[in-house]
Amino acid sequence: MLVCVFQHKCSPFCVSFLHTLTALNAGCTVLSVRCRQTKQCHCWSKRSYKGLRKCEQEVAEESVFQDLLEILSSASRAIEQSCRDSCGLAEVDTCLLLVAECFRCLRNACVQCARNQHLLRNLGLISTSVHLIKLLHGMQVKEELLLPALRCSLQFLGNIAAGNGDSQNSLWKCAFPDLFLLLIVTDHLLQCPELVKALYAKLSNQERVTLLELMLAKVSEKSSVGSEELEVLGSHATFLAGCFQEQCGAVLRFAAAPQAQDQEALVTVRLLDVLCELTSSSGQLDRLQALPGLLEAAVDTLRLTHLAGKQAVNVFTATHAVTGQEEVSHPAVGFKSHLIRLIGNLCYKNKENQDKVYELEGIPLILDNCSIDDNNPFVNQWAVFAIRNLTEQNERNQELIAGLEEQGLAEGSALGSMGLEMDKQEGRLILRSARKKPS
């Protein structure tokens, strides 16, 4: 049996972690907390404390949560005292382990459980947690000691706020702006998808843009990530794809806003930027390709913006500036290029999505956007990329494009600029890579 003791001169608790090999079969890792003043001992087995299984959530006693609250409050006081005295906290590793385990218990207790979400909020655990997280950020300890406590605390805040408007309001009052900004700067916020969802719902459009730009910088990093971080990014990808589907139509406001002041439309632009980066990663591509509605939203938005650019002169209108003309500066510049990029990514080696674009009549739409356009830099290159992904091992899509050229609906010069050409073989129209002409 291994006994670790955490004591502090100002703490009313003596805390012991009892890990016993004889109880392994029963899964009884035990936490024992004894109050110095009352001499009363509180014990929780792994089943009631560390795991809180789904089937047991609704029957968890309030007294267990009250004890956990008292432990966290005691830990806060101990950390504050050590900071005031400019002295190190005795047994800091055990203290942080205790904090992490408490938050792990609380995190598990409120997963999709409205009863426990309300109970923990009414006990004041949101404000206590926010205060403790701020203290943890100020501790000068090794990162490997601090991260588990910090990660579990943020996951708890995410879970208690998930799908619960009252908890989201309480979290917003306690955490914004100080903790929110602190988490953004230190990059910890992005490690907790549920907390991102809860806070995103409360952010203004301008604040959402800031958060999305932070996420864009994060996902644009080319460094390799582990399986845990891939799962976190996957949760972000699913959430952001849903946000894009809900508000992609807002970008059309830029057609009537020459000064580009519409923040909701700008959020849509940034959502698309992040999705383009996420679908450029093999780690997230499969997940996003399988999401219902995302591809349809991209094709529909491309159609609407293309139509808006034809009906009136605006940022969605294709332009080709003469030499020396001032460069166009607008948040929506490149938006159609990125839509085509997203469509191309979603169709990469995916027959179902290739066929879906065919059914949505998205192929002629992409071909109609392959000319030089100063409002959409590199649109021709992204169109080439999308058409190649749409036609790879897909005879129906190849025949469609070849047929459009024969009907005069797709210019041969446009296909040529994509490195493609149409050929007839045994009465069939075949789209293939263009043969290089002799120099």
Side-chain angles (χ1 to χ4, degrees), residues 20-159:
T20 171
L21 296 176
T22 59
L24 277 180
N25 289 333
C28 301
T29 299
V30 175
L31 167 69
S32 175
V33 181
R34 180 170 60 85
C35 180
R36 279 183 184 165
Q37 297 172 345
T38 65
K39 307 301 181 182
Q40 189 174 10
C41 186
H42 305 273
C43 296
W44 299 289
S45 69
K46 182 175 183 180
R47 183 175 182 181
S48 63
Y49 171 74
K50 198 174 180 181
L52 273 183
R53 300 172 184 173
K54 176 66 175 146
C55 62
E56 299 168 335
Q57 288 178 322
E58 297 289 350
V59 297
E61 295 182 2
E62 182 176 346
S63 61
V64 174
F65 299 134
Q66 289 174 331
D67 288 332
L68 292 173
L69 172 61
E70 183 57 33
I71 293 172
L72 292 175
S73 298
S74 175
S76 293
R77 291 191 293 270
I79 295 172
E80 286 180 320
Q81 184 65 42
S82 67
C83 292
R84 283 195 297 268
D85 295 345
S86 299
C87 61
L89 180 62
E91 302 291 346
V92 63
D93 54 342
T94 310
C95 173
L96 293 175
L97 177 61
L98 175 61
V99 169
E101 291 303 314
C102 287
F103 276 124
R104 184 174 283 113
C105 172
L106 295 171
R107 175 199 68 187
N108 295 347
C110 56
V111 173
Q112 299 179 355
C113 183
R115 178 255 190 188
N116 287 349
Q117 286 176 326
H118 290 298
L119 181 59
L120 296 175
R121 184 187 67 252
N122 292 336
L123 285 173
L125 269 155
I126 291 180
S127 58
T128 299
S129 301
V130 169
H131 177 64
L132 184 50
I133 291 170
K134 292 179 181 178
L135 292 176
L136 292 175
H137 270 289
M139 293 186 70
Q140 301 299 317
V141 296
K142 294 180 180 179
E143 190 174 76
E144 58 267 26
L145 294 177
L146 185 62
L147 281 182
L150 197 55
R151 184 181 299 115
C152 289
S153 64
L154 294 176
Q155 290 170 342
F156 162 63
L157 291 180
N159 287 353

Side-chain angles (χ1 to χ4, degrees), residues 183-374:
L183 294 176
I184 283 183
V185 170
T186 56
D187 204 28
H188 287 302
L189 178 63
L190 299 185
Q191 302 304 315
C192 184
E194 289 300 328
L195 186 54
V196 169
K197 295 177 188 177
L199 290 177
Y200 188 90
K202 291 295 183 180
L203 294 176
S204 68
N205 285 318
Q206 186 173 5
E207 291 160 348
R208 288 178 179 179
V209 169
T210 301
L211 177 60
L212 290 169
E213 288 175 345
L214 172 71
M215 298 181 79
L216 179 61
K218 182 66 176 178
V219 300
S220 297
E221 295 177 357
K222 301 306 180 183
S223 56
S224 59
V225 296
S227 58
E228 183 177 348
E229 190 168 354
L230 276 177
E231 187 61 30
V232 169
L233 284 176
S235 297
H236 288 318
T238 302
F239 171 65
L240 295 178
C243 293
F244 177 77
Q245 291 172 233
E246 290 177 4
Q247 65 179 90
C248 54
V251 76
L252 293 172
R253 297 175 188 172
F254 278 144
Q259 301 303 318
Q261 296 299 319
D262 195 296
Q263 290 295 320
E264 186 176 358
L266 185 54
V267 169
T268 303
V269 172
R270 291 294 174 264
L271 283 168
L272 178 60
D273 292 341
V274 178
L275 289 174
C276 283
E277 287 297 327
L278 286 170
T279 52
S280 296
S281 164
S282 58
Q284 303 304 325
L285 180 58
D286 290 345
R287 179 193 296 260
L288 289 167
Q289 284 179 322
L291 283 181
L294 178 57
L295 181 59
E296 291 89 337
V299 174
D300 288 343
T301 305
L302 178 61
R303 179 175 291 108
L304 291 173
T305 51
H306 188 53
L307 180 62
K310 287 189 171 184
Q311 290 178 334
V313 178
N314 51 59
V315 71
F316 301 119
T317 304
T319 62
H320 182 38
V322 298
T323 304
Q325 184 171 329
E326 185 177 352
E327 184 179 349
V328 179
S329 177
H330 192 285
V333 166
F335 186 77
K336 289 199 292 181
S337 292
H338 287 178
L339 282 172
I340 294 173
R341 176 187 178 187
L342 178 61
I343 294 169
N345 287 347
L346 294 175
C347 293
Y348 178 70
K349 297 185 182 301
N350 190 297
K351 180 65 162 53
E352 182 179 350
N353 283 350
Q354 289 175 338
D355 293 340
K356 192 174 296 182
V357 174
Y358 176 95
E359 294 161 3
L360 293 168
E361 300 182 348
I363 294 177
L365 181 62
I366 293 172
L367 290 172
D368 203 25
N369 279 277
C370 65
S371 58
I372 296 175
D373 180 4
D374 290 333

